[in-house]
Every structure is written in C-alpha cells, then in structure tokens.
C-alpha cells in the first residue's frame, strides 16, 4: 500500500524516518511532505494514489477526499477530527482514526497555567512592571479551596482533575455522555450543568465539538456563573458562544477567561470580539503543543498506520 504523510508532525525528520521504517520493511511505500499546505489543490496532488493519508490539524475537506478513489484510511494525528469531511468519508467506506490521548498532560497543564495567570495576574504584572507608571503589585487569589467545575470527565478532564486536586480544590463535574468511575473515586460530585455553573469558581471545558455541544456555553449559561468566576476553554472554540463570552467579560458578569481555542484557527480576525475583551488571557491553540506531546503523537499516529496495514485497525472514529 501507499502511505503518505501530508504535513509535518512537529518532530525531527530523523524521528519520522525511524517511525516509518516498519512500514517500508513490510513492503509498503511511504512518502513524507515536510512542509504544511492549506491549499486544497496541493492537498489533492499530495494525496494522489494513497491508500493511507496521515494529517494533523490541517483541514482535509470533502473535495480533496473525492479526488482519490484509492483512499482507505484518513489517519488524523490529532484528537479532534472535525477538520475532516467525516460524513463523506464514511459514505465512501473510508476509515478515520485519531491519536487521542497524546496531549492529555499538555492540555491539563495549560489549563492550570491559564488559571494561575488569571488568579495571580502574571501576564498583567509582566506588562505593568515594564511601565514607567508602575501601578503597584496586584493582589490575587489561590486555587486552594475553590470549586472547580469540570465539563467533561474523559481522559483530559481527569488529568486536569488530578492537577486541581493537588492544589486543594473542590471538584464537581457535568458530563453529557457518562459518569466516569475514576471521577467518583477521586471524590468528584456529578451534577447538572446549570447547577455546576452556578456553584463553580472555575469552569473548565473538556468535551469534544459535536452537534450537541456546539454553543453549549451560551449567553444564558454564562449568566448562571458567579461574577467572581472564570471560564477556561482548552477544548474546542465553538463549544462557547464567544461573542457572548466577550460581552460577559466586558460587562463584568464574569471575572475572567483563559481561552486557547476559537471559532477559527489563528490568525484571528482583528474584529473578533474576544481579542478586545477585558480580563481574557488568550493563547494561540497551543494546548497540545509540547515537545513530549509531539513525540507521543507521532508514535501513536504511526502505530495506527501499522495496525491498519496489518488488518487490525485501531483508534477508529465511530460516529
């Protein structure tokens, strides 16, 4: 079979070569493009004839899928797969797999980092201390004793829960899909979403983007939060009505937000309301992006390819 990796995976070429060696030793062909492209014509050209294509978080739309009759597997080296024409691929009997789990620690640590930044005014302090009119130090807050509401208790949610627990926070959770026994063992109390939003000092999102979760955190849901509460989103941008979030921040209806994901991938348009919101710490979708996570992601992605070539597909997306 012909396997093509269409974009870099943020690891060295030598690591790619090492991971691809079992594919070539098994008699398959492997082609690697080490420069990213977002051009659909170029993506189609790169995909030509491939049985397996490997991508990361680069869009792989329906019109590109249509141009390769050979395609059998779209191997997404990423957790979310909403940047792929999923429904069309399934109609063509093309499998899609992902690399869920590679960034659990990385995303959980960024979540904590955003909370600490908001609570201790780290970014603000760095900016102000460089100002000749230094206003003085900022009094902050501690995580210990705060109620943290986790929306989603999958693997990333649970990794985040353990870190918050180490800080001495009280943990509550809401999950549309299931109750996680690990969460209950950790002493997490499950409750309905509205109750969680009302009680929590920190609300942290850890759910996938699905039709049922798009816009879940609406103006009405934001209005349930305490004025002193903060919202952290290191999941997917459209889970939140981000215009409503900007309004809530600017009007002081919540105290702050740490946001790593948006309604589009960066760069963000200049008129995007969150860019101009008060007490918002924004990062350019870096939750997954650590050296350690990138190496683990590459290993999982290549393991997925090898498993498929050996007729034992794994990490297949079911929906």
């Amino acid at each position: 079979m012909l396997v093509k990796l269409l974009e870099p995976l943020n690891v060295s070429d030598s690591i790619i070569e090492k991971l691809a060696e079992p594919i070539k030793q098994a008699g398959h062909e492997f082609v690697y493009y080490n420069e990213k492209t977002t051009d659909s014509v170029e993506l189609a050209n790169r995909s030509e004839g491939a049985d397996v294509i490997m991508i990361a978080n680069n869009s792989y739309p329906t019109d590109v899928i249509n141009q390769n009759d050979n395609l059998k597997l779209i191997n997404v080296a990423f957790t979310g797969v909403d940047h792929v024409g999923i429904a069309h691929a399934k109609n063509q009997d093309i499998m899609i797999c992902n690399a869920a789990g590679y960034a659990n620690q990385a995303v959980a640590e960024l979540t904590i980092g955003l909370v600490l930044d908001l609570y201790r005014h780290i970014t603000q302090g760095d900016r102000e201390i460089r100002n000749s009119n230094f206003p003085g130090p900022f009094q902050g807050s501690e995580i210990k004793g705060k109620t943290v509401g986790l929306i989603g208790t999958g693997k990333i949610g649970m990794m985040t829960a353990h870190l918050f627990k180490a800080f001495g926070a009280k943990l509550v959770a809401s999950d549309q899909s299931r109750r996680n026994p690990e969460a209950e063992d950790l002493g997490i109390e499950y409750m309905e979403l509205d109750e969680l939003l009302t009680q929590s000092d920190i609300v942290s999102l850890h759910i996938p983007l699905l039709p049922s979760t798009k816009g879940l955190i609406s103006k009405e849901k934001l209005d349930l939060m305490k004025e002193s509460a903060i919202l952290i989103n290191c999941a997917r941008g459209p889970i939140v009505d981000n215009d409503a979030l900007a309004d809530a921040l600017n009007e002081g209806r919540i105290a702050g937000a740490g946001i790593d994901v948006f309604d589009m991938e960066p760069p963000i348009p200049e008129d995007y309301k969150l860019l101009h919101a008060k007490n918002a710490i924004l990062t350019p979708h870096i939750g997954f992006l650590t050296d350690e996570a990138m190496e683990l992601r590459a290993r999982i992605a290549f393991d997925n390819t090898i498993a498929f070539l050996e007729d034992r597909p794994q990490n297949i997306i079911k929906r």
Side-chain angles (χ1 to χ4, degrees), residues 44-116:
N45 289 337
R46 292 183 181 188
S47 303
E48 186 176 1
D51 299 279
V52 177
I53 65 102
M54 300 172 66
I55 59 172
N57 59 331
N58 197 21
S59 178
Y60 200 73
T62 296
D63 63 318
V64 176
I65 296 171
N66 278 340
Q67 295 181 59
N68 184 0
D69 293 336
N70 251 14
L71 193 56
K72 301 172 182 65
L73 176 70
I74 300 172
N75 182 349
V76 182
F78 207 61
T79 301
V81 296
D82 46 286
H83 55 296
V84 177
I86 299 174
H88 185 76
K90 296 222 166 196
N91 287 339
Q92 301 297 319
D93 293 324
I94 298 167
M95 292 184 184
I96 300 173
C97 63
N98 73 349
Y102 76 91
N104 294 355
Q105 183 74 29
V107 174
E109 288 189 10
L110 181 63
T111 297
I112 298 294
L114 290 170
V115 172
L116 289 172

Side-chain angles (χ1 to χ4, degrees), residues 216-275:
L216 178 69
I217 306 301
S218 61
K219 178 187 181 301
E220 292 72 24
K221 298 301 185 188
L222 290 165
D223 285 344
L224 296 174
M225 294 175 62
K226 301 177 182 179
E227 287 187 4
S228 59
I230 63 173
L231 175 72
I232 307 296
N233 188 7
C234 290
R236 305 298 277 179
I239 293 169
V240 179
D241 180 338
N242 287 302
D243 284 349
L245 174 59
D247 291 340
L249 290 165
N250 288 331
E251 295 164 11
R253 288 186 280 114
I254 65 171
I259 306 296
D260 185 51
V261 287
F262 307 89
D263 297 288
M264 70 292 291
E265 288 298 311
I268 306 298
E270 191 175 333
D271 61 353
Y272 192 68
K273 290 178 72 171
L274 264 184
L275 294 182

Side-chain angles (χ1 to χ4, degrees), residues 73 144 158 240 286:
L73 176 70
K144 184 178 181 180
M158 287 310 305
V240 179
I286 57 168

Side-chain angles (χ1 to χ4, degrees), residues 136-264:
F138 308 102
Q139 185 165 319
S141 299
E142 298 175 3
I143 295 174
K144 184 178 181 180
K146 298 296 189 298
T147 297
V148 176
L150 300 164
I151 301 178
T153 52
K155 291 183 178 179
I156 295 177
M158 287 310 305
M159 182 67 73
T160 307
H162 282 285
L163 295 182
F164 273 121
K165 187 79 170 180
F167 278 88
K170 175 187 175 182
L171 300 171
V172 299
S174 176
D175 199 313
Q176 291 182 337
S177 58
R178 66 186 179 95
R179 294 192 172 200
N180 188 335
E182 182 188 352
E184 295 175 328
D185 290 345
L186 196 63
I188 296 175
E189 179 187 357
Y190 277 96
M191 56 183 59
E192 293 300 317
L193 177 60
D194 287 2
E195 185 181 3
L196 178 149
L197 293 170
T198 301
Q199 290 194 15
S200 297
D201 302 296
I202 301 164
V203 175
S204 189
L205 302 176
H206 302 284
I207 51 177
L209 178 61
L210 302 168
S212 60
T213 63
K214 185 174 182 180
L216 178 69
I217 306 301
S218 61
K219 178 187 181 301
E220 292 72 24
K221 298 301 185 188
L222 290 165
D223 285 344
L224 296 174
M225 294 175 62
K226 301 177 182 179
E227 287 187 4
S228 59
I230 63 173
L231 175 72
I232 307 296
N233 188 7
C234 290
R236 305 298 277 179
I239 293 169
V240 179
D241 180 338
N242 287 302
D243 284 349
L245 174 59
D247 291 340
L249 290 165
N250 288 331
E251 295 164 11
R253 288 186 280 114
I254 65 171
I259 306 296
D260 185 51
V261 287
F262 307 89
D263 297 288
M264 70 292 291

